[in-house]
Amino acid sequence: EFPALGAARVELCVYDEKDARDIFVFRGDPEVQLYNSAPHRTVEEAVEFRGLSSGPTRQVLACRTRLIGDCVIGLVEPDEVVVHPPQILKCRVDSVRLLNAATVSLRLRPNRPLRFSAGQFARLDFGAGRVRPYSMANAEGDEMLEFHLRRVPGGRVSGFVAEQLRVGDVVKLIGPLGTSYLRRKHEGAVLCIAGGTGLAPICSIVQTGLAGSQDGSYHLYVGARSESELYWLDVLRELQCQHPT
């Protein structure tokens, strides 16, 4: 139970607003602030504006909620919340290679192991203001970290990585970040859908899940703008052969 503390906010976010968590309000009277920086609104106004759930148990965004009365709240999937405090790691480039004309594979060797949950991402700093978020494509526990970048024509970061970054160069990593990750307590089949380099976090989830003790099958659907932009099909086929069911 949370008593009202004036303008105190329900701080359940992890690291930044990208990782905002939903909360369920079982009873009470929270006040909701919207992402468009509009004045604080009631839950009912927010429901109408953003389509949030309402009723006896209401769902709101924790990072945009103020308590104006005593209330009881609960986290969405509280038993599945994982917390890996973000670290700042110094990484060395192990390899840079093209997976196809539109996709670059970047493998980094961190100066110490990065603990993360499959599906999470990190911010990579290549220097000179070149900072981008990329998801880990490797399974949890791997010594090497792999990232997949879409090569954008004239892209300031993807072009630099594909054309100028060299083996042995230093890249600063901040992470892990994100709340989209493998739910280990899930039972039954898992449906995964990925497009383009969005395959990276999905591959991390599938590889980690298949290597673990979870029961159930994985069904993966992959899309791209064209057939030539599909990649890692050999890796996926190998996983399929190793885990036919």
Side-chain angles (χ1 to χ4, degrees):
E1 297 195 18
F2 287 79
L5 297 174
R9 293 171 62 181
V10 184
E11 293 287 358
L12 297 176
C13 299
V14 178
Y15 192 72
D16 64 10
E17 291 186 355
K18 182 179 178 67
D19 301 313
R21 297 180 186 273
D22 291 352
I23 58 173
F24 285 113
V25 180
F26 297 112
R27 63 175 182 272
D29 192 10
E31 185 179 39
V32 176
Q33 177 183 0
L34 302 180
Y35 271 104
N36 65 352
S37 300
H40 298 303
R41 303 180 181 222
T42 65
V43 170
E44 286 69 25
E45 289 175 322
V47 166
E48 182 178 356
F49 187 85
R50 301 191 68 240
L52 299 175
S53 61
S54 60
T57 299
R58 297 170 295 177
Q59 186 175 358
V60 297
L61 289 169
C63 66
R64 285 294 180 265
T65 303
R66 288 174 180 263
L67 300 181
I68 59 174
D70 295 346
C71 68
V72 177
I73 67 171
L75 283 171
V76 177
E77 299 176 340
D79 59 338
E80 290 284 9
V81 173
V82 299
V83 179
H84 301 297
Q87 308 175 57
I88 299 178
L89 302 182
K90 176 182 177 181
C91 302
R92 293 278 181 182
V93 175
D94 181 78
S95 68
V96 180
R97 64 189 181 96
L98 291 178
L99 298 177
N100 56 38
T103 310
V104 181
S105 168
L106 171 64
R107 288 168 60 87
L108 300 177
R109 184 182 300 276
N111 61 339
R112 61 180 183 272
L114 175 68
R115 293 188 62 237
F116 69 95
S117 291
Q120 290 189 294
F121 69 96
R123 286 194 175 93
L124 302 185
D125 186 343
F126 301 97
R130 301 184 187 94
V131 183
R132 292 289 187 277
Y134 295 112
S135 298
M136 281 70 80
N138 55 284
E140 296 175 15
D142 286 358
E143 179 181 354
M144 206 78 67
L145 302 175
E146 181 163 2
F147 303 88
H148 299 159
L149 293 64
R150 175 172 174 77
R151 190 177 185 182
V152 180
R156 185 165 181 263
V157 175
S158 64
F160 171 80
V161 172
E163 300 166 13
Q164 300 182 47
L165 198 64
R166 296 291 181 264
V167 172
D169 285 352
V170 174
V171 177
K172 183 170 74 173
L173 179 151
I174 302 174
L177 305 168
T179 56
S180 176
Y181 49 79
L182 176 64
R183 267 47 179 180
R184 293 186 173 277
K185 294 189 178 182
H186 173 76
E187 297 180 354
V190 178
L191 173 63
C192 300
I193 303 174
T197 54
L199 179 60
I202 296 300
C203 277
S204 178
I205 288 173
V206 171
Q207 292 178 94
T208 300
L210 291 175
S213 58
Q214 280 182 285
D215 295 327
S217 57
Y218 282 75
H219 303 270
L220 174 59
Y221 292 84
V222 181
R225 297 182 180 183
S226 65
E227 187 174 352
S228 64
E229 293 190 9
L230 292 171
Y231 70 94
W232 258 30
L233 297 184
D234 54 338
V235 174
L236 298 177
R237 292 191 181 104
E238 184 178 350
L239 284 173
Q240 184 180 34
C241 291
Q242 293 173 354
H243 305 275
T245 59

